[in-house]
Amino acid sequence: MQKPRKRKQAELHPRPQSRTKPARATICLNKPTSDPYPTHPRPTPEECRAVLDDLLVLHGFPQEFAKYRRQRPTSSDDETHGFPKPEPLDGDAQESVLDGLVKTVLSQNTTEVNSLRAFDSLKSAFPTWEDVLSAESKCIENAIRCGGLAPTKASCIKNILSCLLEKKGKLCLEYLRDLSVGEIKAELSQFKGIGPKTVACVLMFHLQQDDFPVDTHVFEIAKAIGWVPALADRNKTYLHLNKKIPNELKFDLNCLLYTHGKLCRRCTKRVGKQQRKESHESSCPLLNYCKNSESETS
């Protein structure tokens, strides 16, 4: 008997009968949402700032996110903390929103290196999104195969492009820059294969909005340090953290938690092939938060 596919791949699996999602969804991204854990007091704004400062001392600001940091509005303490300046550097050309959405789709269930290779290969094979839309699915699959799940991701990308052309008459998402966060969520979440994490990543990285994506690394750390209840799921963690974390801290804290989750054995159960730099317990500044979390639940 064939085994069912893993749940973590669900965002990428479009159904053939329709290119847009049905009205009902797990999270109504286009409507105001309440905190699913209103009696859970953490994280406090002070704790968010403390964790950000601790991780910044340990890692510095992650260079892979520096170009996105430079595109964001500046704040009063950027220079104090050594964050990248908002002025773009050479080679920092702003990506289109559609580029960002496809990059995020390709990043699902693979490494950063492989997803970037897949995107570069796709753009090399098909210079325009019109070329991608008119190409055979098998050709798209071959171009992005190095990123894994090629048939699923190719189908998702083709669906996005087909739906966008049908509704807007052109393959462009720049109109999202003029919409509210709620309207942006409504527009993006209508595409099959696009879930809450993908929408949040596009909001934060490519539209410079204050949102807090919850990937596996962020989710596991949030549970380990008691920022959400032990039985929390990832969708409710996303809703809770977006209510609790101050907007001005969301981008930097998210980038640092993601980076720390990749490197620290103590803060994540996932042990990949990447060499982890911070493998000793004494080097992890979040251990005190983990201990505090354990003492609260004991």
Side-chain angles (χ1 to χ4, degrees), residues 51 55 215-228 241 256-262 264 266-269 286 289-290:
V51 169
L55 293 180
D215 78 321
T216 300
H217 301 301
V218 173
F219 178 48
E220 290 178 349
I221 292 176
K223 287 198 298 182
I225 64 179
W227 281 10
V228 290
L241 294 184
L256 286 163
L257 285 173
Y258 170 81
T259 298
H260 189 69
K262 289 196 301 180
C264 181
R266 293 287 297 182
C267 293
T268 175
K269 298 176 183 177
L286 301 188
Y289 299 96
C290 294

Side-chain angles (χ1 to χ4, degrees), residues 12-123:
L12 296 170
H13 285 274
R15 296 178 183 176
Q17 61 265 35
S18 172
R19 287 199 294 264
T20 56
K21 290 182 181 177
R24 181 175 296 179
T26 303
I27 293 180
C28 296
L29 291 172
N30 58 328
K31 296 180 181 180
T33 52
S34 59
D35 189 338
Y37 308 117
T39 61
H40 193 84
R42 299 177 64 199
T44 64
E46 294 76 19
E47 189 176 19
C48 293
R49 168 59 73 183
V51 169
L52 189 156
D53 289 343
D54 287 343
L55 293 180
L56 193 60
V57 169
L58 180 62
H59 298 294
F61 189 81
Q63 286 305 300
E64 65 182 295
F65 302 121
K67 70 175 183 179
Y68 299 111
R69 186 62 169 76
R70 283 189 286 267
Q71 294 169 3
R72 298 183 68 83
T74 185
S75 64
S76 57
D77 60 353
D78 281 0
E79 187 172 348
T80 303
H81 288 82
F83 289 130
K85 294 183 179 180
E87 296 83 2
L89 301 180
D90 292 340
D92 263 5
Q94 190 175 44
E95 297 169 336
S96 73
V97 181
L98 184 53
D99 282 4
L101 177 58
V102 173
K103 269 190 174 182
T104 307
V105 169
L106 292 173
S107 73
Q108 296 291 332
N109 306 109
T110 191
T111 64
E112 181 78 10
V113 171
N114 285 341
S115 68
L116 291 177
R117 283 177 56 205
F119 183 80
D120 290 341
S121 175
L122 180 66
K123 295 295 282 186

